Amino acid sequence: MVNFSHGWWVIFQYVHIIKKGHIMNPCNLNQLGVSSKTPWAVGHFNIHNMEFIRPVVRAAEQEKSPAILAVGMLSVKYMGLEPLITACQIIAKETNVPIAIHLDHARDLNTVRQALDLGINSVMFDGSSLGYEENVEKTTQVVQMAHASGATAEGEIGIVPHGDITVSKDDMTDPAKAVEFAARTGVDFLAVSLGSVHGMKTAGTSLNQELLQELYKQIPAPLVLHGASGVVDAHIKDAVANGIRKINVNTGLKVVLKDFLSSRFKNNPESDLLDDLDLGMNRVTESIARRMRLFGSSNKA
Ligand SMILES: [Zn+2]
């Protein structure tokens, strides 16, 4: 479906690129250099405060990799939408590697509107719990709202569940529905369900690679993997080879910081908290850099 704002949206993006002769940060997902054709995926890292924002940008600079700073709903509840987006915007402007700011799992149009008004570059609408037609309808509205602001939009088809459960066949993405959903909504990126689960503290799940290959063949929009913290490295690598182009990491980074701080507090009870957090940020940076190498995004900035 071609919507009325598409032409303006393309012009927006070019103006954005032409200024200063290179990409100006922050940018949207289509300005990160990744597409369905690139043999690598960009990392989406959920941030909750400065202790996560800085490590994402530091790792991006070290690895010369584009990156996505993702603002999720629990973090909005914790820190507030405007403080988080503003902090991301300020830090993103300090670097020349492409950094996008993205709203993760918005479930209502008001939050999407607020985030776009604050200048966010990309929004994900999660209508996976809605009926199919309502998901199509609301996601289409989000795509139009995003494009009118020069932002990109991600939708979700199939269900990536939360908690210690396995994904049922019914929750996995149905290829025919996904093809229709992508065409009708016009999403720039499409999240699909292949077997991963949100919120896993250790990596143990595998992915349905045959389903992914089938989706990749038929859907032009870059495909997104949610719940990557719970997926073993070998399966992440195969998923990139089979067409995943954006990989969402949240829980795994929280675990790295919490594990480090737990042992640090135990072993150095007299240390200054800022030194503890500084060392903690180094651990988070290392973990992000390792994932960028795994996703193949190093040296792609
Ligand atoms: Zn997710």
Side-chain angles (χ1 to χ4, degrees):
M1 182 196 287
V2 176
N3 75 60
F4 70 97
S5 61
H6 186 75
W8 283 114
W9 181 63
V10 170
I11 291 166
F12 250 126
Q13 292 203 51
Y14 280 106
V15 169
H16 199 79
I17 292 166
I18 289 162
K19 279 190 206 168
K20 280 196 178 175
H22 58 79
I23 298 266
M24 271 185 69
N25 271 327
C27 41
N28 69 35
L29 299 191
N30 285 339
Q31 294 163 332
L32 295 174
V34 74
S35 77
S36 64
K37 300 278 172 260
T38 54
W40 55 276
V42 67
H44 148 139
F45 303 100
N46 280 77
I47 56 85
H48 322 285
N49 55 23
M50 210 51 107
E51 283 70 31
F52 289 89
I53 300 172
R54 286 242 182 249
V56 174
V57 174
R58 279 179 196 163
E61 286 182 327
Q62 278 172 27
E63 292 296 318
K64 297 185 176 59
S65 165
I68 299 165
L69 295 166
V71 178
M73 295 304 119
L74 285 177
S75 310
V76 168
K77 206 170 148 204
Y78 172 62
M79 275 280 144
L81 187 65
E82 186 167 8
L84 275 181
I85 292 177
T86 308
C88 289
Q89 287 166 334
I90 291 168
I91 305 302
K93 281 178 190 154
E94 293 177 359
T95 184
N96 285 326
V97 290
I99 303 286
I101 308 170
H102 174 78
L103 188 69
D104 193 24
H105 286 287
R107 286 177 184 265
D108 66 274
L109 300 188
N110 276 344
T111 311
V112 171
R113 181 75 271 152
Q114 281 172 31
L116 290 170
D117 287 346
L118 289 165
I120 205 159
N121 318 100
S122 184
V123 289
M124 184 230 179
F125 180 72
D126 177 359
S128 62
S129 61
L130 307 173
Y132 177 73
E133 282 301 325
E134 196 180 354
N135 189 7
V136 169
E137 199 180 298
K138 290 204 166 144
T139 303
T140 305
Q141 280 184 57
V142 168
V143 170
Q144 289 174 356
M145 285 160 71
H147 287 183
S149 302
T152 43
E154 175 183 334
E156 177 166 331
I157 188 80
I159 295 172
V160 179
H162 286 260
D164 287 330
I165 41 175
T166 48
V167 184
S168 71
K169 253 215 133 68
D170 286 348
D171 284 349
M172 286 203 198
T173 300
D174 176 87
K177 269 191 186 163
V179 169
E180 191 195 287
F181 182 84
R184 282 178 66 187
T185 59
V187 285
D188 301 290
F189 280 67
L190 182 65
V192 290
S193 172
L194 305 165
S196 61
V197 175
H198 284 108
M200 286 183 70
K201 294 196 168 89
T202 49
T205 34
S206 54
L207 299 171
N208 186 336
Q209 303 285 351
E210 295 74 33
L211 173 58
L212 172 57
Q213 286 169 348
E214 204 181 326
L215 294 168
Y216 180 67
K217 260 188 261 162
Q218 299 179 61
I219 298 169
L223 302 175
V224 182
L225 176 67
H226 283 241
S229 299
V231 181
V232 294
D233 283 3
H235 270 266
I236 298 259
K237 247 194 145 124
D238 288 349
V240 175
N242 288 327
I244 285 292
R245 295 294 173 260
K246 172 174 175 284
I247 300 178
N248 291 17
V249 181
N250 185 3
T251 311
L253 302 180
K254 284 181 175 168
V255 170
V256 166
L257 186 59
K258 188 169 175 179
D259 283 355
F260 172 77
L261 290 177
S262 304
S263 71
R264 174 82 182 166
F265 291 158
K266 202 170 141 218
N267 299 326
N268 305 69
E270 301 304 322
S271 63
D272 187 286
L273 178 63
L274 297 189
D275 291 334
D276 304 332
L277 291 173
D278 205 35
L279 291 169
M281 283 197 283
N282 290 343
R283 300 302 169 97
V284 179
T285 305
E286 284 163 19
S287 177
I288 295 168
R290 185 189 71 76
R291 288 167 204 271
M292 286 169 166
R293 294 191 291 273
L294 178 67
F295 304 164
S297 70
S298 296
N299 299 311
K300 298 296 191 299

